[in-house]
Amino acid sequence: MKSDSVLRGLQQAPHRSLFNALGFTPEERKKPLIGIISSQSEIIPGHVNIDKIADAVKLGVAEAGGMPVVMPAIAVCDGIAMGHVGMKYSLVTRDLIADSTECLLRAHGFDAVVMIPNCDKNVPGLLMAAARVNIPTVFVSGGPMMAGHVDGRKRSLSSMFEAVGSVAAGTMTEEKLAEYEEKVCPTCGSCSGMYTANSMNCLTEAIGMGLGGNGTIPAVYSARIRLAKTAGYKVMELLEKNICPRDILTKDAFMNALAVDMALGCSTNTMLHIPAIAHEAGVEINMEIANEVSAKTPNLCHLAPAGPTYMEDLNEAGGVYAVMHELDKKGLLKTDLITVTGKTVAENIKNAENKDPEVIRPIENPYMPNGGIAVLKGNLAPDTGIVKRSAVVPEMMVHEGPARVFDCEEDAIAAILGGKIVAGDVVVIRYEGPKGGPGMREMLNPTSAIAGMGLGSSVALITDGRFSGASRGASIGHVSPEAAVGGPIAFVKEGDTILIDIPANKLEVKISDEEMAKRKAEWKPVVKEVTGYLARYRELVTSGNTGAVLRVPGKD
């Protein structure tokens, strides 16, 4: 047992005295030492209830014969951080979370751990730590928020951001905006659509690290507490069987996650997080493979912002296991893989039932024959550009228009809300990538402003930054190489014609190779002044197309 290094033997007498100081009894110290990483905080709606989840996990661990110890993990609320300098600090926390959790677990000799994340970077950060530390691990999240209701229709946070654009366009009153503000986020939990947090929590099930229901059981349901207790039981079972994350996080498991991602229509941020988690597990995932998976995996769900259904609806329809059951009908999953249930994928999903064929389309009648995410390439994105295809209206699948170029998000927002962007335009926001931002900000404000002003079916947006899972429309992010390192997006000029062809996976600026080379020779980068952690992050972060993982000096 790893805890022998802190609990047993003559040399560990000083260590045991410190456990005495913590209030642990000799009887408790004889049990396996089980960490519980709690992301509870009072600044994030998705995390404010996690203390209750942690208490339930503690009960489960203790009942199953372990000694539970709760420790913290940080997180950022992307919604509160959106649209200002705070968003520079969102993606960067993924690596802080992974690093600090690795430190906590290895420094104190834990035998196993239950991870309790919920929001955007918290889930992948803890998955990265789990892959590094490689002790028996179960994930149980805080759960999704219930949808709000305005005028008899379900609403969510994306509706709130789009309402701001509608007020700017004069199509909504400030009184109605105030009603939205009051009603769209009615409970604790991760925001109620298929945004990044819920995407990643659903993928913990698909990849085998979360129990069934982890991605979909609402935060306010008592079933979430029962799930947390079960996670406590299960981690003890995994310890007994010595099933560790790297036994689960295999290449086939990541391919399963990609297939479920395509079927669910998850956030484009999964294209950052899947390769980063795989990297920590010693598995290399090239995001170009996403198009291969997409080509054979139909899109079965249109959850908000792509459609009118929400996480609570997916839960009632059978959840992630029901989606996996549909995919398995055509052999699109590897089902002999072990999971944290102690059973295989096949055993997990064999009794799953699709209870609502409109929320989860049967595989014979999908929303689209291909997956919800597409990777675009071309002279504007030689490595990658990522789009949530399932959230693009048909008329924008192929679009050609003049570039409207901005070197930061704030300038683009001012132009959109100021009425300077018109139908047909292609908004280009650059120097917002991992290095250029630094921090690769999400662009929910500009995409929501475009949609709210009634331009969602006629204006595209391209960035070397990224998009919130709440974004919809022809929003193409992760353009790589980014502007800060001399990627072609740095050389686009106002008025250049840009071609977007999503069915053909193409993203091009219509200038000659000679003109591109001329502009490159004349280019001077925009460098944003930063200090502290952001300055260190900028020096170490790699490209968005490789998951924006941090370079290890002297190794990578």
Side-chain angles (χ1 to χ4, degrees):
M1 299 280 278
K2 286 183 167 52
S3 59
D4 288 353
S5 62
V6 295
L7 289 176
R8 281 165 275 282
L10 176 64
Q11 297 298 320
Q12 283 66 40
H15 306 70
R16 290 193 296 273
S17 73
L18 293 169
F19 277 92
N20 285 338
L22 290 167
F24 290 107
T25 66
E27 290 78 15
E28 286 177 301
R29 296 200 310 264
K30 293 175 183 177
K31 300 174 181 179
L33 185 61
I34 310 300
I36 299 172
I37 300 295
S38 168
S39 306
Q40 196 273 338
S41 77
E42 295 183 354
I43 191 60
I44 307 171
H47 291 220
V48 73
N49 65 316
I50 281 179
D51 55 342
K52 297 176 179 61
I53 304 297
D55 287 346
V57 172
K58 284 180 70 175
L59 281 172
V61 168
E63 286 181 13
M67 185 172 90
V69 181
V70 178
M71 297 166 292
I74 67 164
V76 163
C77 177
D78 278 20
I80 294 174
M82 194 71 65
H84 58 94
V85 68
M87 184 45 70
K88 292 179 182 287
Y89 288 89
S90 172
L91 178 62
V92 305
T93 64
R94 185 185 72 183
D95 296 275
L96 279 174
I97 291 162
D99 293 348
S100 58
T101 303
E102 174 192 357
C103 293
L104 277 170
L105 294 175
R106 285 193 165 150
H108 298 106
F110 284 95
D111 296 309
V113 62
V114 177
M115 305 284 201
I116 315 176
N118 211 26
C119 287
D120 293 34
K121 314 308 163 304
N122 196 238
V123 185
L126 291 181
L127 280 165
M128 290 163 69
R132 290 182 195 174
V133 179
N134 201 38
I135 57 177
T137 305
V138 177
F139 274 68
V140 57
S141 76
M145 183 183 294
M146 301 295 287
H149 291 81
V150 181
D151 298 330
R153 292 180 60 190
K154 288 184 178 179
R155 300 289 187 180
S156 61
L157 186 66
S158 55
S159 310
M160 190 72 248
F161 277 90
E162 290 178 14
V164 173
S166 298
V167 171
T171 58
M172 180 182 287
T173 66
E174 290 193 21
E175 290 75 18
K176 179 57 73 171
L177 178 69
E179 183 183 356
Y180 271 63
E181 188 177 329
E182 186 70 25
K183 294 180 177 178
V184 298
C185 295
T187 72
C188 63
S190 48
C191 298
S192 57
M194 186 54 80
Y195 309 154
T196 306
N198 292 326
S199 295
M200 291 306 304
N201 281 319
C202 286
L203 293 188
T204 64
E205 294 187 51
I207 210 167
M209 291 295 293
L211 302 176
N214 185 51
T216 61
I217 296 171
V220 295
Y221 280 18
S222 297
R224 175 65 54 180
I225 300 298
R226 297 197 299 271
L227 186 74
K229 290 178 183 176
T230 302
Y233 306 150
K234 283 295 178 183
V235 78
M236 296 302 294
E237 184 180 315
L238 294 181
L239 179 61
E240 182 182 351
K241 295 178 178 178
N242 193 30
I243 297 174
C244 297
R246 289 197 178 203
D247 300 319
I248 296 168
L249 295 173
T250 63
K251 180 70 173 286
D252 284 340
F254 285 105
M255 296 304 290
N256 280 355
L258 281 172
V260 175
D261 190 339
M262 296 299 172
L264 285 171
C266 290
S267 163
T268 52
N269 281 316
T270 60
M271 297 294 106
L272 280 174
H273 300 323
I274 288 174
I277 299 160
H279 178 75
E280 297 293 352
V283 176
E284 293 306 314
I285 297 285
N286 185 323
M287 277 300 95
E288 292 182 37
I289 202 170
N291 283 341
E292 296 177 31
V293 177
S294 180
K296 61 184 180 182
T297 309
N299 177 232
L300 305 181
C301 300
H302 267 191
L303 295 140
T309 53
Y310 293 80
M311 296 306 297
E312 61 201 63
D313 302 310
L314 179 60
N315 187 62
E316 295 303 318
V320 175
Y321 280 4
V323 174
M324 296 175 74
H325 187 74
E326 291 290 345
L327 295 177
D328 189 45
K329 290 177 181 178
K330 291 198 173 180
L332 295 174
L333 299 175
K334 293 281 188 178
T335 60
D336 59 346
L337 310 180
I338 195 66
T339 72
V340 294
T341 65
K343 300 176 181 178
T344 64
V345 172
E347 291 173 306
N348 288 342
I349 67 174
K350 67 179 180 180
N351 295 321
E353 179 185 353
N354 183 353
K355 299 175 182 177
D356 191 332
E358 281 306 306
V359 176
I360 304 171
R361 288 282 185 90
I363 200 162
E364 301 82 8
N365 180 36
Y367 280 104
M368 297 190 305
N370 43 25
I373 291 177
V375 177
L376 312 185
K377 298 186 75 171
N379 70 344
L380 185 53
D383 292 335
T384 55
I386 307 291
V387 64
K388 187 170 181 175
R389 172 168 42 199
S390 59
V392 179
V393 294
E395 54 266 39
M396 290 298 289
M397 286 291 185
V398 178
H399 179 76
E400 188 172 306
R404 306 298 309 279
V405 183
F406 305 93
D407 287 343
C408 67
E409 178 189 1
E410 288 82 356
D411 290 348
I413 283 285
I416 295 165
L417 295 180
K420 296 178 181 179
I421 302 300
V422 299
D425 285 348
V426 179
V427 177
V428 177
I429 305 177
R430 61 194 180 191
Y431 295 102
E432 291 286 7
K435 286 184 179 293
M440 204 177 186
R441 286 196 285 182
E442 289 185 341
M443 303 290 165
L444 179 56
N445 271 352
T447 58
S448 297
I450 287 169
M453 297 185 76
L455 297 170
S457 60
S458 60
V459 169
L461 197 156
I462 297 171
T463 182
D464 54 6
R466 60 196 178 91
F467 294 107
S468 164
S471 292
R472 62 187 176 99
S475 304
I476 301 160
H478 309 199
V479 170
S480 302
E482 62 174 294
V485 299
I489 193 172
F491 315 137
V492 177
K493 292 185 176 180
E494 186 82 8
D496 284 347
T497 299
I498 291 179
L499 171 65
I500 301 164
D501 189 337
I502 295 172
N505 303 113
K506 185 183 296 185
L507 180 62
E508 294 183 346
V509 55
K510 297 190 124 181
I511 61 174
S512 66
D513 292 345
E514 293 76 17
E515 176 62 18
M516 184 76 82
K518 177 176 177 290
R519 294 182 187 183
K520 184 174 184 177
E522 298 170 348
W523 169 68
K524 293 182 180 179
V526 173
V527 180
K528 298 171 183 176
E529 291 298 320
V530 292
T531 58
Y533 182 62
L534 287 181
R536 297 196 299 275
Y537 182 85
R538 180 167 60 191
E539 292 303 309
L540 295 176
V541 71
T542 60
S543 175
N545 73 301
T546 58
V549 298
L550 298 188
R551 179 175 54 85
V552 178
K555 181 178 179 181
D556 295 334

